[in-house]
């Protein structure tokens, strides 16, 4: 188990800069209640975690301005879960920067009513991955769920990072619950994803 938290101010300028990051074989938890401002190109991360199960939370402000950087990042392994919750402000200013990126067999991304996420290449990427069943020698698709009650500036996307193997019993599923929130962009899933979209009073537009 690993936990990393920020309550103050983090500023950095480097290649592949990282603000707060937790990594563990088991559960990894990273959170920000302060201010993080990072500049620099490369696969940088404002707040991130990687483990069997990951929990990433932002109630503060995260700003990244470098190419390929993610404001919030979570990656889980095995048949575990990636949980990312934003109640603050996340801005990935570069044209190819992402606001929130979550990947794993099960991905849950929540943007609450006070949350604002802006990404140059998209506000949220929720990427479900396949799991292999050794008994049946088949693959089962994962599930990515995005729940938004706040504001997302940029596309909400999902895709299968490893493609879709021939022996997939269940395809990846992508569910968007737009609970009264606003998505200034499109909802996009590739041909390896079965999508379900529930507006619930929210709005989705080109932005």
């Amino acid at each position: 188990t690993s936990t990393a938290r920020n309550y103050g101010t983090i500023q950095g300028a480097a290649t592949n800069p990282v603000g707060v990051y937790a990594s563990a074989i088991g559960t990894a938890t990273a959170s920000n209640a302060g201010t993080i401002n990072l500049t620099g190109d490369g696969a940088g991360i404002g707040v991130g975690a990687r483990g069997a199960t990951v929990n990433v939370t932002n109630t503060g402000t995260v700003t990244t301005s470098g190419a390929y950087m993610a404001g919030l990042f979570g990656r889980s392994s095995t048949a575990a879960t990636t949980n990312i919750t934003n109640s603050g402000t996340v801005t990935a200013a570069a044209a190819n920067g992402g606001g929130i990126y979550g990947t794993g067999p099960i991905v849950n991304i929540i943007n609450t009513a006070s949350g604002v996420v802006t990404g140059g290449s998209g506000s949220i990427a929720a990427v479900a991955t396949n799991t292999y069943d050794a008994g049946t020698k088949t693959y089962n698709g994962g599930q990515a769920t995005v729940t938004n009650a706040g504001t997302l500036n940029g596309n909400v996307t999902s895709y299968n990072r490893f493609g879709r193997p021939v022996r997939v019993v269940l395809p990846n599923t992508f569910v968007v619950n737009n609970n009264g929130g606003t998505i200034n962009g499109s909802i996009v899933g590739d041909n390896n994803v079965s999508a379900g979209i529930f507006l619930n009073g929210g709005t989705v537009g080109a932005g």
Side-chain angles (χ1 to χ4, degrees), residues 78-100:
T78 67
T81 304
T82 296
N83 299 304
I84 302 175
T85 301
N86 176 60
S87 299
T89 300
V90 178
T91 304
N96 46 8
I100 298 176

Side-chain angles (χ1 to χ4, degrees), residues 50-82:
R50 182 172 185 171
T53 299
V54 303
N55 301 297
V56 176
T57 304
N58 176 57
T59 58
T61 300
V62 178
T63 304
T64 65
S65 57
Y68 305 109
M69 293 178 64
L72 307 182
F73 170 88
R75 174 173 291 170
S76 61
S77 57
T78 67
T81 304
T82 296

Side-chain angles (χ1 to χ4, degrees), residues 79-124:
T81 304
T82 296
N83 299 304
I84 302 175
T85 301
N86 176 60
S87 299
T89 300
V90 178
T91 304
N96 46 8
I100 298 176
Y101 182 93
T103 183
I106 301 173
V107 178
N108 296 309
I109 298 176
I110 298 173
N111 188 49
T112 70
S114 61
V116 179
V117 181
T118 302
S121 66
S123 58
I124 291 179

